[in-house]
Amino acid sequence: MNERVDRLRAALDEPLLVSDPTNVRYLSGLASTNAALLVEPDRVRLFADFRYAERGRAVEGAEFVEAKRDLFQTLSEVLSGRIGFEASSLTYERYARLHAGGIDLVGRYGLVEELRMVKDEDELAAIRRAAEITNNAFERFADEGGVVGKTERELAWRMEQLLHDADCDSVAFPVAVAAGPNTAKPHTVPGERPVGKGEAVFVDAGCTVAGYCSDCTRTFATGPLPDELKRAYDVCLDAQLAGLAAVRAGASGSGVDAAARDRIEAAGFGDAFGHGLGHGVGLLVHEDPRLAQESRHTLAPGNVVTVEPGIYLPGLGGMRIEDLVVVREDEPEVLTHFTKELVMLD
Amino acid sequence: MNERVDRLRAALDEPLLVSDPTNVRYLSGLASTNAALLVEPDRVRLFADFRYAERGRAVEGAEFVEAKRDLFQTLSEVLSGRIGFEASSLTYERYARLHAGGIDLVGRYGLVEELRMVKDEDELAAIRRAAEITNNAFERFADEGGVVGKTERELAWRMEQLLHDADCDSVAFPVAVAAGPNTAKPHTVPGERPVGKGEAVFVDAGCTVAGYCSDCTRTFATGPLPDELKRAYDVCLDAQLAGLAAVRAGASGSGVDAAARDRIEAAGFGDAFGHGLGHGVGLLVHEDPRLAQESRHTLAPGNVVTVEPGIYLPGLGGMRIEDLVVVREDEPEVLTHFTKELVMLD
C-alpha cells in the first residue's frame, strides 16, 4: 500500500484492525469519522460507509469494502480469527460487539502512534507551513497592538481571523488568550474581561495545513509588569532556552523536561510550573512524544515537539513561552520565529 | 446534587462511573477533558486533575477529589466494588485498567444520554438563542449576496464571521458550503472552486451558546436552475414540511423519517436521499433522538431535533433543507426562521 503500512506490518504479530480515525488517516489518507483498516501481511482492506465510498475506492493499495453506517456491525460479520485492535481508542462497546462476533481479539497499544512520532518530509513541509502562517499571525497581532480595553474573547477572535487570512485550512484549536489574573491558570477560556494596562497577556495559537498542526504561545505585556512577574518572565525564557538546548536525538523526554524544570525550581518557582514541558505535534496538536517528568519517550530525528515552560502565580499572573521544533541529531530546527523578547503592546 | 443527578439515580442498579466528557458536563456543569463522576445513592464524587481543581471544588453537591493527571490511575486506586461504566465511550484500555484494579465492572448504555434527550427550560433558552444567532447570520449572508465568483471556502469563512459577529460562543461545527457539482455529496469540505451562475449552493451552519448547539441548512440558487434540480428542491421542501408535520410527542423516530421519505420516494428520488431525516441537538450537535429508518426512539416533549431531508443527484447537484425544532405535544416549535423559499443570490 505504502511505506507507512510496510513499517506497521513489520511491528505486527497478527492482523491489526486500525479504527482510530487519526491513524486511519495517517495510513490511508482518508479522513473519515466512520472508517477502519484491516492490515494483514498480504492485503489491506479499508472499510467505510457509502459517504466515503468514492474517496475510499481511490485509496491506492487497499481493497475498499463498503460498510453499513453501523461500521462495527459490518466488521463483526466480516472479520474472523485472531486480530489485534487499538485498545487505547476502541470503546468497550465496540470491543464487546467484535468479541461477540467470535473474533479472537488482542489488545495492542500505540503501534501506529509510534510510527506517527517520526515525521517524513511531506509531513514536515505541512507543519513548517502551518508554523509560518502562525508566525505571520503573531507578527500582525503585535503590529496591530491596541489590546488594552479589548476583551480576551475579542483578541482570540482577531487572532483566528489573522490565521485564517494567512490561508491556513483551519485553526488547530480555539485560540486561547488570557490576560491579567487569568494568566495565572494554564488553561482558560477567553472571557469578557477587558485587558488592562500593566498586565501580562498570553496568546496560544496554531493552525492546520493539509491536516498537520502548528502550536505557539507568546506572552506579551501591556506596560511595565510587577517585578515578580517580570522576573517570572525572565526565568521562563531562561528555562525555555535550556529546554530547547536539551532537545536532540537520543535525549529522553524526562531529561529535556528536567533541563527546563531545574531552572524554574532553582529560581524558586518550582511549584508554579504544573504541567509537562511539551508534547508532540502532527495530525493531532497533542500527540507523542511527551516531554514530561513521567515521559518514557526517547527523542528521534523527525519528531516534532513543543517546548513550553510556564510559571503560574495565583493572584498575580502567569507566563508561558512555547516554541515548536523539529528534533535533529544536533540542535533542533525551531519553526516558531516570532521574538521571545517580552513585547510591549498598547 | 441537582435534579439531573436525581433522575439518573432513579435509573441506576449500582453506582455509575460517568466518564464521557459531555455527560460529566451535563451532570456537573464542569467542562473538562479529564474528569469523571461517581454517582452513588448517597454521594457524588467529582474526580479531575489540578487544572480543574478550582472549578471542580465550586460544583455544588459533589465532593471534589483531586486526581492525578492520569485520571484512571486515581480511579483504579480509589474505586471498589460493583460499579457501572459507560460502555459506549470508555476505551477498552481504561476498562482494562479499572478491571485490573479489582473493580467489579458492569457495562451500561445510554443512561445519561437518555436524560439529555429531554431539554429543560435553561437548555431550551440556550438553544433558542443559538438558533436566533444562526437565523440572523443567514439573513445577513443572503442580504450581502455576491457569492458568484467566491470560493466555497471564502463563503464558509464569511458565514463563520457572521455567526461570530452575532456573539455566539463559537461555531458548533465548521460551516459547510457546497456549490454546483459538490452539492451532490451530502458531506463535503468547502473547497477552492469558485461558485458559478445557475448553481445550487447549500450552507450548513450552527453555533453554540452556553455549550448548546444550533444547526440549520438552507439551499440557495445563483440564477435559474436546471429543471430537474428545481423539481428536486420542490420535492425536498415538500418532504421537509411533511417531516415537520409528523414531529410531535409520541411519534417514532422511524415514523417521522418515513413521513418525509415517502414523499421523496413517491417523486422518484428515493435513491437520492441516503441519510436519516434528522438527529437530536444539545450539548452535541449530533445526539439522540434520531429520526431515521433504523431509529428506535419515540419523541417526547422537550426533545430538540433537526428535520433535514436531502436529495443528491450525482453529476447534477443536490438540495438539503434543515430546520431545528423543539418537540411538543402538538406541532413543534420551529427555531430556524430563515425562509425556505429558494432564495436567488447574485
Side-chain angles (χ1 to χ4, degrees):
Chain A
M1 181 171 178
N2 61 41
E3 187 262 340
R4 293 176 188 178
V5 170
D6 292 339
R7 281 195 293 148
L8 175 61
R9 275 200 182 105
L12 300 185
D13 291 327
E14 65 280 307
L16 181 70
L17 178 67
V18 179
S19 58
D20 177 84
T22 307
N23 290 343
V24 169
R25 179 174 187 173
Y26 176 76
L27 293 172
S28 74
L30 180 68
S32 165
T33 54
N34 201 37
L37 281 170
L38 185 69
V39 178
E40 295 176 277
D42 52 349
R43 70 197 289 213
V44 176
R45 274 177 283 176
L46 172 60
F47 299 82
D49 71 58
F50 78 98
R51 294 173 297 169
Y52 305 100
E54 193 178 323
R55 281 176 282 160
R57 289 201 175 88
V59 172
E60 277 184 44
E63 302 162 39
F64 182 76
V65 182
E66 188 170 315
K68 297 177 183 169
R69 267 304 266 273
D70 183 351
L71 180 72
F72 280 78
Q73 181 60 36
T74 298
L75 292 173
S76 69
E77 289 164 6
V78 172
L79 306 188
S80 64
R82 187 175 173 83
I83 293 179
F85 70 98
E86 297 187 290
S88 301
S89 66
L90 196 72
T91 63
Y92 180 85
E93 175 182 24
R94 290 174 168 182
Y95 161 82
R97 291 179 66 191
L98 296 176
H99 182 74
I103 303 162
D104 178 15
L105 293 163
V106 187
R108 295 294 178 192
Y109 294 87
L111 290 167
V112 183
E113 287 80 356
E114 175 99 12
L115 301 179
R116 281 171 41 202
M117 285 201 286
V118 178
K119 273 69 182 176
D120 63 30
E121 282 307 318
D122 288 347
E123 296 178 286
L124 290 177
I127 295 171
R128 284 191 191 101
R129 177 76 192 125
E132 196 53 37
I133 288 171
T134 308
N135 295 339
N136 293 341
F138 270 97
E139 295 287 355
R140 287 187 59 190
F141 183 89
D143 285 349
E144 286 183 359
V147 308
V148 174
K150 291 211 180 76
T151 66
E152 293 166 343
R153 193 164 167 277
E154 287 170 334
L155 295 170
W157 174 247
R158 182 62 193 148
M159 193 66 183
E160 292 202 11
Q161 288 178 304
L162 292 172
L163 288 169
H164 190 274
D165 288 351
D167 231 25
C168 62
D169 292 347
S170 67
V171 293
F173 50 89
V175 169
V177 173
N182 294 337
T183 57
K185 301 168 197 163
H187 290 78
T188 62
V189 172
E192 298 299 343
R193 178 186 170 281
V195 176
K197 290 187 183 176
E199 294 185 351
V201 180
F202 69 68
V203 178
D204 189 348
C207 66
T208 66
V209 169
Y212 286 84
C213 300
S214 63
D215 194 0
C216 180
T217 304
R218 291 292 186 267
T219 303
F220 301 94
T222 56
L225 297 177
D227 286 349
E228 185 72 349
L229 266 187
K230 179 69 182 66
R231 190 170 80 88
Y233 189 89
D234 294 340
V235 171
C236 187
L237 179 54
D238 176 62
Q240 207 270 340
L241 295 172
L244 274 186
V247 170
R248 64 189 58 227
S252 68
S254 56
V256 177
D257 179 277
R261 194 171 299 276
D262 288 351
R263 301 293 180 102
I264 290 174
E265 284 177 354
F269 289 127
D271 292 341
F273 176 26
H275 56 71
L277 182 66
H279 53 84
V281 172
L283 287 168
L284 296 181
V285 73
H286 290 101
E287 57 180 46
D288 291 338
R290 309 280 162 175
L291 306 181
Q293 289 172 296
E294 65 279 14
S295 171
R296 281 166 295 189
H297 293 123
T298 300
L299 296 182
N303 292 164
V304 174
V305 294
T306 68
V307 178
E308 50 174 315
I311 296 176
Y312 309 96
L313 305 170
L316 193 59
M319 300 288 168
R320 186 165 71 246
I321 303 168
E322 176 185 33
D323 275 330
L324 184 66
V325 308
V326 183
V327 177
R328 303 249 175 240
E329 292 293 350
D330 42 29
E331 64 187 44
E333 175 189 352
V334 177
L335 304 181
T336 37
H337 297 127
F338 185 78
T339 183
K340 290 186 279 191
E341 295 296 306
L342 181 60
V343 173
M344 292 287 162
L345 298 179
D346 56 14
Chain B
M1 182 172 178
N2 60 41
E3 187 263 338
R4 294 176 186 178
V5 170
D6 291 339
R7 281 195 293 148
L8 175 62
R9 275 199 183 107
L12 299 185
D13 291 327
E14 65 279 306
L16 181 69
L17 179 68
V18 179
S19 57
D20 177 84
T22 306
N23 290 343
V24 170
R25 181 175 186 173
Y26 176 76
L27 293 173
S28 74
L30 180 68
S32 165
T33 54
N34 201 38
L37 281 170
L38 185 69
V39 178
E40 295 175 277
D42 52 349
R43 69 198 289 214
V44 177
R45 274 177 282 178
L46 172 60
F47 299 82
D49 71 56
F50 79 99
R51 294 173 296 168
Y52 305 101
E54 194 177 323
R55 280 178 282 161
R57 290 202 176 89
V59 172
E60 276 182 43
E63 302 163 38
F64 182 76
V65 181
E66 187 169 316
K68 297 178 183 169
R69 267 304 268 270
D70 184 350
L71 180 73
F72 280 78
Q73 181 60 35
T74 297
L75 292 173
S76 69
E77 288 164 8
V78 172
L79 306 188
S80 63
R82 186 173 173 85
I83 293 180
F85 69 98
E86 297 188 291
S88 300
S89 66
L90 196 73
T91 64
Y92 180 85
E93 176 182 23
R94 290 174 168 180
Y95 161 82
R97 291 179 66 191
L98 295 176
H99 181 75
I103 303 162
D104 178 15
L105 292 163
V106 187
R108 295 293 178 193
Y109 294 86
L111 291 167
V112 183
E113 288 80 357
E114 176 98 13
L115 301 180
R116 280 171 42 201
M117 285 200 285
V118 178
K119 273 68 181 176
D120 62 30
E121 282 306 318
D122 287 347
E123 294 177 287
L124 290 177
I127 295 171
R128 284 193 191 101
R129 176 78 192 125
E132 195 53 37
I133 289 171
T134 308
N135 295 339
N136 293 341
F138 270 96
E139 295 287 355
R140 287 187 60 190
F141 184 88
D143 286 348
E144 285 183 359
V147 308
V148 173
K150 292 210 178 77
T151 66
E152 294 166 341
R153 194 164 168 277
E154 287 170 333
L155 295 169
W157 175 245
R158 183 60 193 149
M159 192 67 184
E160 294 204 9
Q161 288 179 304
L162 292 172
L163 288 169
H164 190 274
D165 288 351
D167 231 27
C168 62
D169 292 347
S170 67
V171 293
F173 49 89
V175 169
V177 173
N182 293 338
T183 57
K185 300 169 198 165
H187 290 78
T188 62
V189 173
E192 299 298 343
R193 178 185 170 282
V195 176
K197 290 186 183 176
E199 294 186 352
V201 181
F202 69 67
V203 178
D204 189 348
C207 66
T208 66
V209 169
Y212 285 83
C213 300
S214 63
D215 193 0
C216 180
T217 305
R218 290 294 185 268
T219 303
F220 301 94
T222 57
L225 297 178
D227 286 348
E228 185 72 349
L229 265 186
K230 179 69 183 67
R231 190 171 80 87
Y233 189 89
D234 294 338
V235 171
C236 188
L237 179 55
D238 176 61
Q240 207 270 340
L241 295 172
L244 273 187
V247 169
R248 62 187 60 226
S252 67
S254 57
V256 178
D257 179 277
R261 194 172 299 277
D262 288 351
R263 302 291 180 101
I264 291 174
E265 283 177 356
F269 290 128
D271 292 341
F273 176 25
H275 55 71
L277 181 66
H279 52 83
V281 172
L283 287 168
L284 296 181
V285 73
H286 290 100
E287 57 180 47
D288 291 337
R290 309 281 163 174
L291 306 181
Q293 290 171 295
E294 66 279 14
S295 172
R296 280 166 296 187
H297 293 124
T298 298
L299 296 182
N303 291 164
V304 174
V305 295
T306 68
V307 178
E308 49 174 316
I311 296 175
Y312 309 95
L313 305 169
L316 193 59
M319 299 291 168
R320 185 165 69 246
I321 303 168
E322 176 186 32
D323 275 331
L324 184 66
V325 308
V326 184
V327 177
R328 303 250 174 238
E329 292 293 349
D330 43 28
E331 64 188 41
E333 173 189 352
V334 177
L335 304 182
T336 37
H337 298 126
F338 186 78
T339 183
K340 290 185 278 192
E341 295 296 306
L342 182 60
V343 173
M344 293 287 162
L345 298 178
D346 57 14

